[in-house]
Amino acid sequence: MGVIDSNEIRALTGAPAPGDARKSGVRIRFDGLSKAYAARQVLNDVNLDIDAGEFVAIVGRSGCGKSTLLRLLAGLEQPGAGGIALDGEPLQQTRDELRLMFQDARLLPWRTVVDNVALGLPGSRADVRRAALAALADVGLADRADEWPSRLSGGQRQRVALARALVHRPRLLLLDEPLGALDALTRIEMHQLIERLWLAQGFTALLVTHDVAEAVALADRVLLIEDGSIALDLRVPLARPRERGSAAFAALEDDVLRRVLQHPPLEDQAAAPSTVSFGQWRWAA
Amino acid sequence: MASTISSPSPRWLGQITPWLVPVAILAAWQAAAQLGWLSTRILPAPSAVLAAAWTLAASGELLTHLKASFARAAIGFAIGGGIGFFFGLINGGYRLAENLFDTTLQMVRNVPHLALIPLVILWFGIGEEGKLFLVALGVFFPIYLNTFHGIRAVDASLVEMGRSYGLSGWSLFHHVILPGALPGILVGVRYALGFMWLTLIVAETISATSGIGYMAMNAREFLQTDIVVVAILLYAVLGKLADVAARLLERRLLRWNPAYAPA
């Protein structure tokens, strides 16, 4: 099975021409990026280039800094040192081009499904509603447009969150373990949905996940973060749509999983130094 | 228990059962008054109360007093509620404002506002201002406290989401913070409505030339117990109406929340 360029796949699936896809995605460059909380170094001198339109998955144990990387990219936190550039421009000027999907859907419960999708969308009322309905149709929820989010299942809420992110036509989509709380079947459906929309719209995607199979199923490239730096950078040379049952898929998944497991869990390392000062203990007693 | 399961009573019976006791009490009251067991000076018969209410309504006096009381309640509520809402917003939203104002407001809160009546009379005399001041003070704290806590209770993850979707300033407040604080604010409104009537009753009995409280005080001078009872019942009705209005407001504004959805 040969390595197929993602642009060829787009051509095969009838998506926009390769040139367009390249243009719609954003190129990312991390340059000596570091971040520390109090005494703990979360990210340590991360240098990384991500191509426009690339789908990159970041895996790693809990607390390895993978979510922090995404939050820095989303501008929710500021780096301690180093910088991030999108298409060569410093991050601050290009915030509008990226959208973030959170671990929970974070829909506003007081707005209907379609109004949630329309949140922050500029334009006239009718245009905004039309765009929001189109985005909902993309995730298969057009018929639930006027319901309250509380009436939806967890998977449906994440689909609405995906529609809300994509209605802005972002050039970069950040996914912070958005499928972690969903059941296995719903996850597989979401994988297909995300892959289809990514192929159609050509944005750059960055997925943080615990699930190695998810990373291998979706990404062009799997990154492993350990101790705040990139320990593995692996291309996934499988053709799309990927077959989870195939030997090549299983072998890749196994490789990555073994590599992740080599590293001792962070909890064990963190247990030794106590961060609780004597004064705080006195209050607890 | 077993008998109610085996022989279900008709629907109409279930609907009138709760009213049996009140009707019986009214009937006993009426009978006691007519037979002379109950002096009309202590408590007039229900029929006499009804007749008094009818006479007052027919002469237009009732409407005049109702209007006067209602206007005082509404203006006082608007002033006190407005100021309370404002301080709740800024103290809930900005740490600096909280540090600056909250301690002072909490100290003032511990003074029962009705204890200020002698001072209020000295400040404002016996005119309208004093009554409005008392009502405004009465509704200020429930609105302030609940707005403050409502703002603080807004889900921080939703605020973060709003920011990452490009909302800031007014749009963030309008789309995320205010709707999130609304359940708390409406609880404050319901408490405030209760305080509003309570304060008004007391304020109108001090000295007034119109209003339901004035009507009751005036009737007391002439031993017209029937009118006094009418005034008391009017307060009860007005209080109930305010509560119903607050409930309707909750159902309308919080219809997204399953806890407030109509059963």
Side-chain angles (χ1 to χ4, degrees):
Chain A
M1 191 178 303
V3 179
I4 300 180
D5 186 83
S6 57
N7 286 326
E8 289 175 44
I9 298 158
R10 278 189 198 109
L12 290 172
T13 49
D20 290 354
R22 279 278 177 227
K23 230 184 284 170
S24 67
V26 75
R27 186 163 41 85
I28 313 169
R29 181 183 194 98
F30 297 95
D31 201 8
L33 190 69
S34 298
K35 175 76 181 173
Y37 295 110
R40 204 164 69 88
Q41 192 75 23
V42 183
L43 289 176
N44 194 10
D45 193 25
V46 172
N47 293 290
L48 179 67
D49 279 294
I50 293 173
D51 278 343
E54 204 171 18
F55 200 128
V56 175
I58 304 173
V59 297
R61 290 182 179 274
S62 298
C64 72
K66 56 192 192 302
S67 281
T68 306
L69 192 72
L70 225 56
R71 294 177 63 83
L72 287 169
L73 201 48
L76 296 174
E77 284 174 48
Q78 296 305 313
I84 305 170
L86 302 184
D87 282 341
E89 307 256 338
L91 182 63
Q92 278 73 12
Q93 296 159 23
T94 46
R95 277 265 306 266
D96 280 351
E97 303 185 331
L98 63 88
R99 284 294 176 246
L100 176 60
M101 253 186 99
F102 299 91
Q103 293 175 14
D104 43 347
R106 300 198 187 181
L107 303 180
L108 299 175
W110 45 83
R111 300 183 66 144
T112 58
V113 167
V114 66
D115 284 343
N116 261 290
V117 175
L119 186 74
L121 210 56
S124 76
R125 253 185 123 75
D127 285 348
V128 162
R129 188 176 162 88
R130 199 174 311 123
L133 281 174
L136 273 176
D138 274 345
V139 300
L141 284 174
D143 54 328
R144 310 296 295 270
D146 292 309
E147 290 189 38
W148 301 115
S150 59
R151 305 284 301 250
L152 303 183
S153 70
Q156 288 168 334
R157 282 180 209 174
Q158 277 300 19
R159 272 151 71 194
V160 174
L162 181 63
R164 180 179 63 187
L166 293 182
V167 75
H168 295 266
R169 294 282 153 173
R171 300 180 57 216
L172 169 59
L173 180 65
L174 306 174
L175 303 136
D176 188 4
E177 294 183 48
L179 313 179
L182 305 182
D183 65 87
L185 278 175
T186 312
R187 288 174 80 123
I188 292 174
E189 281 171 13
M190 283 294 284
H191 292 162
Q192 292 166 347
L193 182 64
I194 291 171
E195 185 178 47
R196 178 167 63 75
L197 292 171
W198 170 69
L199 287 171
Q201 299 187 10
F203 48 82
T204 308
L206 217 63
L207 166 74
V208 160
T209 181
H210 273 117
D211 183 352
V212 172
E214 182 171 290
V216 174
L218 284 172
D220 295 326
R221 199 172 154 197
V222 178
L223 302 175
L224 169 64
I225 296 191
E226 273 174 8
D227 296 335
S229 47
I230 293 165
L232 176 74
D233 185 346
L234 183 75
R235 297 227 154 246
V236 181
L238 301 175
R240 295 174 194 271
R242 289 175 179 163
E243 282 184 45
R244 283 159 182 273
S246 76
F249 188 105
L252 253 172
E253 185 188 340
D254 194 49
D255 279 356
V256 178
L257 200 57
R258 273 175 201 283
R259 182 65 190 76
V260 173
L261 290 173
Q262 274 177 21
H263 200 70
L266 255 150
E267 282 78 2
D268 296 353
Q269 303 173 320
S274 171
T275 53
V276 181
S277 70
F278 179 66
Q280 280 170 295
W281 280 115
R282 264 203 329 206
W283 286 108
Chain B
M1 286 301 262
S3 65
T4 54
I5 291 167
S6 60
S7 61
S9 50
R11 219 183 146 72
W12 59 271
L13 201 64
Q15 280 172 348
I16 63 165
T17 312
W19 298 98
L20 288 179
V21 174
V23 167
I25 290 174
L26 273 178
W29 176 8
Q30 179 74 35
Q34 275 187 335
L35 292 172
W37 296 341
L38 193 64
S39 160
T40 52
R41 207 180 280 180
I42 294 169
L43 209 57
S47 61
V49 174
L50 265 180
W54 178 252
T55 318
L56 284 169
S59 70
E61 206 179 334
L62 190 68
L63 194 65
T64 316
H65 291 312
L66 260 177
K67 269 190 198 157
S69 288
F70 189 79
R72 279 184 197 125
I75 296 171
F77 186 88
I79 295 172
I83 300 174
F85 183 62
F86 171 76
F87 276 104
L89 286 186
I90 63 163
N91 290 7
Y94 299 98
R95 189 66 67 175
L96 175 70
E98 187 198 352
N99 279 337
L100 192 59
F101 297 122
D102 190 57
T103 307
T104 312
L105 290 172
Q106 296 294 347
M107 284 194 289
V108 177
R109 185 170 75 95
N110 285 310
V111 178
H113 64 293
L114 293 176
L116 295 176
I117 286 177
L119 206 53
V120 168
I121 292 176
L122 287 175
W123 286 346
F124 298 102
I126 53 171
E128 285 300 296
E129 297 89 346
K131 297 175 187 64
L132 293 181
F133 177 83
L134 282 174
V135 173
L137 201 61
V139 302
F140 172 84
F141 287 105
I143 300 262
Y144 166 68
L145 286 176
N146 287 287
T147 303
F148 179 87
H149 287 294
I151 297 276
R152 277 293 155 83
V154 173
D155 189 346
S157 69
L158 289 181
V159 176
E160 187 185 77
M161 182 280 297
R163 284 189 200 283
S164 84
Y165 275 75
L167 302 182
S168 62
W170 166 250
S171 62
L172 187 68
F173 175 75
H174 170 65
H175 291 310
V176 181
I177 295 174
L178 184 63
L182 209 52
I185 295 171
L186 289 176
V187 168
V189 167
R190 283 181 72 177
Y191 274 110
L193 288 172
F195 277 102
M196 178 183 82
W197 291 121
L198 180 76
T199 315
L200 194 69
I201 293 166
V202 177
E204 285 189 336
T205 49
I206 311 168
S207 58
T209 50
S210 64
I212 301 165
Y214 163 76
M215 193 176 84
M217 281 294 110
N218 210 28
R220 190 204 60 188
E221 299 284 325
F222 300 104
L223 297 176
Q224 294 167 308
T225 22
D226 47 355
I227 297 183
V228 174
V229 174
V230 169
I232 292 168
L233 289 177
L234 271 179
Y235 276 126
V237 170
L238 288 174
K240 181 69 190 165
L241 284 179
D243 199 54
V244 167
R247 267 172 200 275
L248 285 177
L249 208 62
E250 276 184 352
R251 279 212 182 159
R252 168 83 194 129
L253 295 175
L254 307 180
R255 62 194 192 284
W256 51 270
N257 190 331
Y260 291 93

